[in-house]
Amino acid sequence: MAFVQLEDIRVSYDGKTDILKNLHLSIEKGELVSLLGPSGCGKTTTLRVIAGLIDPNQGSFLVDELDLTKVPVHKRNFGMVFQSYALFPHLTIKENVGFGLKLKKEKKAIIEEKVARMLEVTGLSEYADRYPKQLSGGQRQRVALARALVIEPKLLLLDEPLSNLDAKLRVSMRMEIKRIQRKLGITTVFVTHDQEECFSISDKVAVMNKGIIEQFDSPEEIYRRPKSEFVARFIGFENFFDLNRTNDRTYLAADGTLFHTVQTNDQETVTATIRPDDIEIVDSALQANAITGTIRVRTFLGKSYQYEVQTALGNLLVNDENLHAYQAGTTVTLYLNPEKIILV
C-alpha cells in the first residue's frame, strides 16, 4: 500500500458544486509529488484536505496505513510552507525555526540541537541571530522551509512557495528544495501552476482539471505523452488536428494527406497534436507525414524563428533553427515526425 492514500475524495463548499470529484491519489514514501493545474482546478483544495484544513464531504485520507481523515490539523505532524512564508517578524531566525518545537514543549537542549542542524542543512547557520526583515526573499523562503522540516514531519506540504520570488531566484530555490528533500528523504506534496518549476523537481506529477486528476505520471511521460487534450494544451502543445484511422498506425487527414504514427488507438477519428519544435521545414514533399502550407507570420525567438503556417490541417506553429528566414507568403513543405505525433 502506498505511503499516502487519498481515496474517493469529494469536496463541495455549497453542497451542489464539487470542487474535488471522487479524487484518488497514491504517493510512495520519499516521493516529491506536484499538483499542477490552472487556477480553480482543485490543487490547493487537495493540499488543504491533506493538511487537515478542510474536511472532505466523502472519502478517506491515509498516511502509513493510518486513517487521518478526521484527525485535526495540529495532530497530523505535517510541515507546511505557505506562499507568504508567514514568518514572525519579532523573532530571530533561530527562534522562528524552533517555534514548532517550542509548541511541542521539547526540552531547550533538544530544540537548540535540532534548530542548529536544520539551519546547517538549509545553509542559514550564519543568519541565526538575524530577523526576517534582514534577509532576502530566498533566505526567508529557506527559513520557512527549515521551520517546517525541523519538527520532523511525516509529510512536507508546499503551497506555491516560490511565487513571490523573481525568476532567477525561483530557479535556484527549486533546486535547493529538491536537494533538501532528497537529503532528508521526506515525502513532499508541492502545489504549483508553473509546469517548468513542477517538472524540474518532481518525481511524479498530478495534472488537475476541474476537480479531477487527468494524468498522474512522471514529468518525462507527461511531457512526451500527454493522455488528454487538456493535459497537452496545458503543458505547451499548440498544434491540434483531426485524423481518420485507416488501419494500424496509419491515418488520413481531411484533405487526403497520409500520416503514419507510432501511437495508435481504436477510435476511428482521433485528435492529434505535435509540438512546434517537432515539425521540420523540408525541401520537397514526402509521400507521408508531409503537408504544404503558406507562411502567414514570422516571429524571431532568439535561437530560432517561429512561423505560423496556413495548411489544410489548419494553422500550424513551427519552430525552425535554420538561420535562413522565410518570408511571409512563402510556400513551404512541413514534415511531421511520426514519433512525435501524439494522439489524445
Side-chain angles (χ1 to χ4, degrees):
M1 188 176 187
F3 182 65
V4 176
Q5 287 278 120
L6 288 151
E7 299 177 350
D8 201 29
I9 296 291
R10 185 177 73 85
V11 172
S12 175
Y13 294 130
D14 59 7
K16 298 177 182 178
T17 305
D18 287 345
I19 308 301
L20 298 179
K21 306 172 184 177
N22 306 109
L23 183 138
H24 293 264
L25 180 64
S26 298
I27 302 172
E28 299 298 331
K29 192 167 186 177
E31 280 188 328
L32 193 159
V33 169
S34 288
L35 307 180
L36 175 68
S39 297
C41 70
K43 57 186 185 295
T44 296
T45 299
T46 303
L47 193 77
R48 291 172 71 84
V49 168
I50 293 172
L53 299 171
I54 294 176
D55 291 328
N57 298 77
Q58 73 174 44
S60 57
F61 168 60
L62 294 85
V63 176
D64 204 12
E65 299 188 19
L66 295 176
D67 191 336
L68 302 183
T69 312
K70 301 298 182 182
V71 175
V73 60
H74 64 280
K75 292 185 178 181
R76 294 194 180 195
N77 192 36
F78 296 166
M80 190 161 184
V81 178
F82 296 94
Q83 186 174 342
S84 62
Y85 312 146
L87 301 180
F88 300 110
H90 63 290
L91 299 181
T92 64
I93 299 313
K94 65 183 180 184
E95 289 170 339
N96 263 283
V97 173
F99 186 79
L101 295 173
K102 191 174 181 180
L103 283 181
K104 295 173 76 171
K105 299 183 178 179
E106 292 275 14
K107 293 181 179 179
K108 185 177 179 181
I110 293 177
I111 292 176
E112 290 179 352
E113 178 186 342
K114 289 185 175 181
V115 168
R117 183 174 70 88
M118 193 51 59
L119 289 176
E120 183 180 352
V121 168
T122 53
L124 293 166
S125 297
E126 62 183 291
Y127 307 106
D129 295 317
R130 296 189 187 182
Y131 290 88
K133 68 180 181 180
Q134 297 174 299
L135 302 186
S136 68
Q139 290 165 339
R140 288 197 296 270
Q141 199 268 352
R142 278 187 280 160
V143 175
L145 189 60
R147 185 178 61 185
L149 291 169
V150 76
I151 63 172
E152 298 174 354
K154 289 183 178 180
L155 284 179
L156 175 62
L157 310 178
L158 305 174
D159 188 10
E160 301 268 11
L162 307 181
S163 59
N164 290 331
L165 304 180
D166 62 52
K168 186 175 180 180
L169 193 53
R170 286 178 75 143
V171 173
S172 62
M173 284 311 305
R174 71 195 188 200
M175 292 298 101
E176 188 73 4
I177 288 174
K178 186 65 174 179
R179 180 188 69 79
I180 294 169
Q181 187 265 340
R182 278 274 188 251
K183 184 172 183 177
L184 300 178
I186 186 168
T187 309
T188 302
V189 182
F190 184 98
V191 164
T192 182
H193 64 275
D194 186 321
Q195 62 153 306
E196 181 181 335
E197 181 176 284
C198 164
F199 284 3
S200 68
I201 68 172
S202 304
D203 297 308
K204 294 279 186 66
V205 177
V207 184
M208 298 187 65
N209 178 32
K210 296 180 180 178
I212 65 170
I213 295 174
E214 293 234 351
Q215 188 169 352
F216 182 53
D217 221 320
S218 68
E220 295 85 357
E221 188 68 16
I222 290 173
Y223 183 86
R224 293 169 185 160
R225 285 176 282 275
K227 291 184 177 178
S228 70
E229 185 171 341
F230 170 83
V231 174
R233 288 186 183 278
F234 190 77
I235 65 169
F237 282 84
E238 298 178 86
N239 299 314
F240 292 84
F241 47 94
D242 291 332
L243 297 175
N244 296 309
R245 185 171 183 267
T246 59
N247 52 55
D248 191 34
R249 295 185 175 86
T250 303
Y251 294 85
L252 281 176
D255 70 333
T257 303
L258 180 69
F259 285 93
H260 297 307
T261 66
V262 173
Q263 282 189 320
T264 188
N265 61 39
D266 295 330
Q267 296 177 334
E268 292 302 314
T269 301
V270 298
T271 297
T273 183
I274 188 169
R275 291 182 181 275
D277 290 337
D278 297 325
I279 301 178
E280 300 174 50
I281 298 177
V282 294
D283 292 332
S284 58
L286 305 173
Q287 191 168 21
N289 289 69
I291 191 166
T292 58
T294 303
I295 293 175
R296 297 184 61 195
V297 179
R298 183 187 73 196
T299 307
F300 182 57
L301 302 180
K303 291 184 179 180
S304 63
Y305 288 97
Q306 183 172 87
Y307 301 99
E308 181 182 310
V309 184
Q310 186 175 27
T311 75
L313 297 178
N315 291 337
L316 299 179
L317 291 180
V318 181
N319 291 346
D320 183 37
E321 293 186 359
N322 195 324
L323 293 178
H324 169 72
Y326 295 93
Q327 302 299 318
T330 303
T331 298
V332 293
T333 300
L334 307 180
Y335 175 66
L336 284 63
N337 189 330
E339 294 184 358
K340 302 296 185 178
I341 296 175
I342 306 297
L343 306 182
V344 294

